[in-house]
Amino acid sequence: MGLLEVQDLTVEAGGKVVVDNTSLALEEGEVLYLLGPNGTGKTSLIRSIVGYPGYNIVRGRVLLEGEDLTGKPMEYRVSRGLGLAHQLPPKLSGLRVRALLEAICSRTKCSADEIASALQIQYLLDRDFGRGFSGGELKRVELATLLAMRPKVGLIDEPDSGVDVDSVKVIADGIRALMGVSRSVLIVTHSALISKYIRPTRVCLMLNRRIQYCGGPELVEEVFEHGFKGLVRGDQV
Amino acid sequence: MGFTTSSRAYYLQIDQNYFKYLSRFSGVEIMTTREFVENRPDEAREYYWRLIDPARDKYTATAALLERGGYYIRVKRNTRLQEPILACLFLSTRGIQAPHNIVVVEEGAEAVVTTGCTIAPEMAGVHIGISEFYVGEKAKLTFVMVHSWNHVSHVRPRTAVVVGDEGYYLNYYANLSRVRTLQTYPEVKLGTRARAGVYSVILGLGRASIDYGGAVYLNGDEASAEVVSKALAREEARVVTRGRLHARGRGSKGHLECRGLMLSEKAYMLAVPELSSDTLDATLTHEASIGRLAEEEVNYLVSKGFKRDEAVSLLVKGFISVEENVFPPKVRGIISSVEKLVVEKSF
């Protein structure tokens, strides 16, 4: 039994099928990359895993440690140990980064200052969450919230898109820190820039709303070499 | 009637017949306005009904006729206080409370005045507070006012402030509880390089009808002002927020914000920001918005492990928060308490 299992999942959002009959298993200690071009359903898949409103599971199941979470609300799923770092978190006027981290840390017994230090966001602590942040700052702050949550499974949506090289290195440090507190990590990426710093244990390729193929870390190099379309094979899963 | 406080300077008034006041600060005088007018008439002539015309409206006229209490606070030249001067006005019986307050902060002086006005539950009352504040050259007055009324009280504060050259007037106002009607439109006049920061949090509950606004006149060259109002309307409350910046001085700058948060289908909000200028060389900006809490923001916080109620609390607290760093340390604690109470009462 995998730590997180997605079984034959079909998801609708806005009246359209955004994930089509796809399956995925995440084992203990894994760092799984979910690769795929923009608009292929990667974000929809991880949002439906955490039960984000607006993503309706019409078929299939989501299990965490064997517990069926499919019909459970997001609040419950998060309480069971799922955590999501959003691709584009909203700006929260008046809510300081420090206040948010401390509020999360009050549950998980972490230190907002230590987390801020790990992601080099100390200078952002007294600013409104997300307001006026650069792409890299936004990613680092968002990852900080996930680190503070100390989830069993961390789902990270596009940590390396729209950020400069220096930020990618810091984000990679943050993901390593997350790997120290979480049991598994799933990273969604379309550019795979983060792979220069974090080596995956396994890589899955998502195309046309479905996970088509999973393989070893070498799949990242194949994507770089052939592109996503060049990797669509006869042995699709 | 007993009253104790650890404050070293305060003014307490209950209805129209109990006054207690004290100043242990050197350089600070506190007395009733009546005593000030009767004992020092020549001096009082410079400050008493000088910024507000008794004939301005029926409320000022009523206050001028009745004049029931009110404080005179004088902070002498170059006296700098960090500790707040407290003022508390309490209405325990039916009727009209019409205090006339005068605060004079002389040249180079600094003071923090925190005031609370409240009423006994279920007592129908009218509060007409006349406030005339004089902030001298290079002086600073931080004035915090917290109102807590009941659902049958009517409140008509009338406030005017004049700020001398390079002076600074910093104001925080919060209405924390039910009020039947509240209408006020304080006016601040700024001299050369004078500044004003005017921040307010208005909570409309029940069937309250609130019309809260104010104007800042940037009369002097390079005067500047920031006016921010945050209003919340729950149940059947009707809340109007107004703000006006008028530039006369060259190089003057001002920013006005009117933000409204709707917390009920039956509430009503109106935001009226106004900018005007007599000079080519001024920069005035405004932002106004009315809306509900963004579901996406609530969901985001739930995805971070908060219960829905906790997420809403965090967002409401964020909405009403002001830039605390502009306030002296002693005031920040008061603002935090106010914000906590507003969040609790906004559900």
Side-chain angles (χ1 to χ4, degrees):
Chain A
M1 184 179 68
L3 177 62
L4 173 69
E5 289 188 58
V6 174
Q7 299 174 347
D8 307 319
L9 202 68
T10 296
V11 179
E12 282 184 359
K16 293 179 181 173
V17 173
V18 291
V19 175
D20 185 12
N21 192 29
T22 209
S23 298
L24 176 73
L26 196 60
E27 306 296 334
E28 192 87 29
E30 272 205 293
V31 178
L32 188 142
Y33 276 25
L34 184 58
L35 295 183
N38 287 327
T40 199
K42 306 184 298 298
T43 295
S44 299
L45 175 58
I46 60 171
R47 282 190 157 207
S48 57
I49 289 172
V50 297
Y52 213 81
Y55 295 84
N56 302 316
I57 295 176
V58 294
R59 201 159 68 85
R61 298 200 301 168
V62 175
L63 296 97
L64 180 70
E65 297 179 301
E67 181 184 1
D68 189 350
L69 300 179
T70 312
K72 305 290 186 188
M74 177 164 61
E75 197 174 309
Y76 180 78
R77 298 188 200 198
V78 173
S79 75
R80 300 302 296 161
L82 291 175
L84 172 64
H86 296 246
Q87 181 179 358
L88 283 174
K91 297 174 178 64
L92 305 174
S93 292
L95 182 56
R96 304 291 169 83
V97 174
R98 180 189 295 282
L100 181 57
L101 288 178
E102 286 179 347
I104 299 172
C105 282
S106 68
R107 284 197 317 268
T108 59
K109 314 292 179 209
C110 63
S111 158
D113 286 314
E114 283 177 21
I115 287 170
S117 175
L119 285 151
Q120 297 181 23
I121 55 166
Q122 300 96 320
Y123 67 101
L124 297 172
L125 285 174
D126 293 319
R127 283 177 53 183
D128 285 6
F129 188 92
R131 193 157 289 282
F133 289 4
S134 69
E137 288 171 337
L138 201 57
K139 297 287 184 190
R140 282 185 278 147
V141 167
E142 178 59 8
L143 189 57
T145 63
L146 187 63
L147 195 50
M149 289 170 70
R150 303 172 73 91
K152 289 175 186 167
V153 176
L155 308 167
I156 309 173
D157 197 359
E158 301 279 8
D160 48 3
S161 67
V163 299
D164 58 50
V165 173
D166 291 337
S167 279
V168 176
K169 285 181 186 170
V170 178
I171 288 164
D173 289 340
I175 293 173
R176 280 191 206 96
L178 183 69
M179 288 154 59
V181 296
S182 295
R183 289 161 59 185
S184 284
V185 174
L186 187 156
I187 300 171
V188 165
T189 174
H190 71 271
S191 69
L193 278 177
I194 196 76
S195 65
K196 290 184 182 296
Y197 306 98
I198 303 278
R199 187 159 175 82
T201 55
R202 205 152 53 93
V203 177
C204 290
L205 181 62
M206 191 163 186
L207 285 170
N208 298 324
R209 296 166 286 154
R210 186 179 296 177
I211 292 176
Q212 304 281 358
Y213 181 81
C214 292
E218 68 284 353
L219 194 54
V220 174
E221 279 73 44
E222 290 185 49
V223 168
F224 281 133
E225 191 172 341
H226 303 292
F228 291 117
K229 286 179 185 170
L231 279 175
V232 181
R233 317 173 175 195
D235 55 350
Q236 293 171 355
V237 292
Chain B
M1 187 178 294
F3 170 75
T4 57
T5 174
S6 60
S7 176
R8 295 165 67 197
Y10 64 83
Y11 173 91
L12 171 72
Q13 178 180 337
I14 299 174
D15 302 324
Q16 279 62 249
N17 45 30
Y18 179 85
F19 307 98
K20 187 170 180 179
Y21 51 86
L22 172 78
S23 172
R24 289 201 178 97
F25 296 127
S26 93
V28 177
E29 290 179 345
I30 300 178
M31 64 188 77
T32 67
T33 297
R34 181 49 41 199
E35 286 170 321
F36 176 54
V37 171
E38 287 176 357
N39 299 334
R40 287 146 66 174
D42 291 342
E43 203 180 325
R45 227 167 263 127
E46 292 179 40
Y47 302 115
Y48 184 65
W49 289 111
R50 293 308 297 258
L51 300 181
I52 298 171
D53 183 351
R56 182 170 131 182
D57 59 33
K58 63 184 177 184
Y59 301 104
T60 53
T62 302
L65 287 170
L66 296 178
E67 197 191 293
R68 295 176 171 178
Y71 51 78
Y72 166 73
I73 297 172
R74 177 188 174 203
V75 183
K76 293 180 183 171
R77 188 175 169 170
N78 293 328
T79 301
R80 296 185 179 213
L81 298 174
Q82 295 302 317
E83 198 173 322
I85 299 165
L86 303 181
C88 178
L89 291 91
F90 181 60
L91 196 52
S92 71
T93 56
R94 283 177 69 92
I96 297 175
Q97 188 181 52
H100 190 143
N101 305 313
I102 295 172
V103 177
V104 179
V105 184
E106 294 180 350
E107 182 181 348
E110 283 188 18
V112 177
V113 178
T114 62
T115 73
C117 297
T118 190
I119 188 168
E122 303 301 323
M123 285 296 167
V126 178
H127 173 91
I128 308 168
I130 304 295
S131 297
E132 297 182 286
F133 298 162
Y134 299 83
V135 183
E137 286 183 20
K138 297 181 180 171
K140 178 179 178 183
L141 171 62
T142 302
F143 186 79
V144 177
M145 179 179 274
V146 179
H147 275 172
S148 182
W149 304 103
N150 67 27
H151 68 112
V152 285
S153 53
H154 301 269
V155 182
R156 298 290 185 276
R158 297 292 182 260
T159 302
V161 185
V162 62
V163 185
D165 295 352
E166 299 182 43
Y168 187 17
Y169 174 65
L170 186 55
N171 176 230
Y172 182 83
Y173 172 80
N175 176 57
L176 285 182
S177 60
R178 288 173 196 277
V179 62
R180 184 66 189 90
T181 68
L182 164 64
Q183 188 274 322
T184 189
Y185 195 81
E187 294 184 328
V188 181
K189 293 176 180 170
L190 299 177
T192 300
R193 287 188 292 280
R195 295 183 293 150
V198 181
Y199 306 90
S200 54
V201 175
I202 313 296
L203 177 61
L205 298 172
R207 298 184 63 205
S209 178
I210 296 173
D211 190 325
Y212 183 89
V216 178
Y217 297 93
L218 301 132
N219 293 339
D221 290 352
E222 298 179 43
S224 61
E226 180 176 65
V227 179
V228 178
S229 77
K230 308 279 183 77
L232 303 96
R234 218 188 85 182
E235 296 156 346
E236 295 174 50
R238 297 175 66 83
V239 180
V240 178
T241 53
R242 304 174 194 274
R244 184 178 176 205
L245 290 175
H246 180 77
R248 291 196 178 108
R250 285 171 300 172
S252 52
K253 289 180 182 173
H255 180 68
L256 175 65
E257 244 182 87
C258 298
R259 303 279 190 196
L261 183 59
M262 297 283 283
L263 297 168
S264 157
E265 296 284 352
K266 293 180 179 172
Y268 169 82
M269 293 192 115
L270 170 67
V272 189
E274 291 180 291
L275 306 177
S276 57
S277 179
D278 284 333
T279 174
L280 181 68
D281 186 16
T283 307
L284 303 177
T285 56
H286 78 76
E287 294 174 73
S289 66
I290 293 174
R292 63 188 303 169
L293 284 177
E295 201 60 24
E296 179 62 19
E297 294 175 13
V298 176
N299 288 337
Y300 172 78
L301 290 175
V302 172
S303 82
K304 297 296 163 190
F306 296 100
K307 293 181 170 58
R308 188 176 169 82
D309 283 356
E310 294 171 336
V312 169
S313 291
L314 278 170
L315 292 171
V316 170
K317 187 169 185 307
F319 173 80
I320 61 172
S321 71
V322 296
E323 185 56 62
E324 282 190 354
N325 291 340
V326 302
F327 289 95
K330 296 273 185 185
V331 174
R332 290 178 206 160
I334 297 170
I335 291 174
S336 291
S337 302
V338 165
E339 289 176 351
K340 195 174 167 201
L341 283 168
V342 171
V343 169
E344 282 172 9
K345 292 184 175 193
S346 62
F347 283 93

